[in-house]
Amino acid sequence: MNPTGSTYAGKLALITGSRRGVGRLLAEHILRNGGRVAGFARGEATIEHPDYHHFQVDIGDPASVQQGFAALKKVADAVHIVINNAAVLTSQYAMIMPPAQAQAMINTNLMGAFMVSREASKLMRKGKWGRIINIGSMAVSLEPIGDSVYAACKAGLATLSNVMAKELAPLNITCNTLSITAIKTDMLAQLPGDKIDAVIAGLPIPRYAEPDDIFNIVDFLASERSSYITAQTIYMGGVN
Amino acid sequence: MLNQDAIHAIILQALNNINDERGPDEQLTVGLDTRLFGADAVLDSLSLVSVIVDVEGAVSEQAGRDISLTDDRAMSQAVSPFTDVRSLTAYIELLLSEQA
């Protein structure tokens, strides 16, 4: 179901990793519901919409993030919502994980979210309103073999979110983490299907996440009424 | 390049921005000797962060180049650049002179 509405009217959401997967789904959802979207991604835009602004940014590179914000400020004077979605995943036994791949996960999945939140909160500060939503993972709870660095990054992301929640609370900016389960995206396609199916079968609600499962929680965390909800991690599908 | 008066104005404006958010009984006395950091500082930590962000942004915009007030160098100065308005001004002048 893809309802249209005005849930996000008057709001600009910055979404990292907006070219594909969950980031693209969320960008299209917010656009359908009256919001403007700024997308940060390494590649060219895959969304064409009058309210979509694309910026080629490598969030794993702090200088690139700052350049992206400089460009963003030329088309928007405020950012209301940030969705730190961009992530890279290499799943491999730690003993043979290439260090460069491990470092890339840290740079993008953790440092990238930090830099984007850092710069966005400076803009949110002026409006005394903001919602930072970090896309976490069930890997933090399930700790699957092969995901040592990925799961550690996502655990770190939730902690980053909780600390920033304290720092930014006086500015009426909330920071929360949505730890998603498996959803059929390009990233998931990198992993062995049978192993993911086995993980899903073991969940209290044994099915893959659907886009609307994610939209529901993002809408909730981004809403005006959620101003008293911060430093929280919401898992899906019964993971805890 | 921004001169000393222009930098003073930017910092004082940032302090006035803090006052705008405070009640009548909580107003800072804003001047060149206003203590920003240290034992006699008038700013709480979040207010100091707000001043730094405002000053960094305004100086970068008016000077036409990015400056950073929070890198390792700033933090390792023998006398903190954030002691008062004059010391912060002097540090910004130093940064701008080097980048010119």
Side-chain angles (χ1 to χ4, degrees), chain A residues 4 13 40 45 50 77 96 134 153 164 167 180 192 204 229 231 235 240:
Chain A
T4 58
F40 277 9
D77 56 5
I96 57 172
N134 295 295
C153 286
M164 288 194 73
E167 295 182 7
I180 63 175
I229 297 169
Y235 283 99
N240 61 45

Side-chain angles (χ1 to χ4, degrees), chain A residues 80-155:
Chain A
H80 305 98
I81 300 161
V82 165
I83 302 177
N84 282 310
N85 161 77
V88 292
L89 167 62
T90 299
S91 187
Q92 187 54 271
Y93 280 92
M95 286 189 288
I96 57 172
M97 171 78 78
Q101 301 297 317
Q103 188 66 57
M105 283 189 274
I106 294 167
N107 290 349
T108 297
N109 303 359
L110 189 56
M111 191 64 189
F114 167 71
M115 282 302 299
V116 170
S117 299
R118 177 186 191 268
E119 296 305 312
S121 57
K122 294 178 188 176
L123 296 174
M124 292 173 169
R125 181 179 63 95
K126 295 177 183 171
K128 285 288 180 81
W129 198 96
R131 302 281 186 265
I132 298 175
I133 301 169
N134 295 295
I135 301 298
S137 169
M138 65 177 178
V140 174
S141 174
L142 302 182
E143 300 174 343
I145 286 173
D147 284 359
S148 55
V149 176
Y150 181 78
C153 286
K154 291 297 190 179

Side-chain angles (χ1 to χ4, degrees), chain A residues 20-23 25 180 182-190 208 214:
Chain A
R20 56 187 183 172
V22 171
L25 289 168
I180 63 175
I183 179 169
K184 290 179 176 169
T185 62
D186 295 345
M187 179 181 282
L188 196 71
Q190 300 171 28
Y208 283 79
I214 295 171

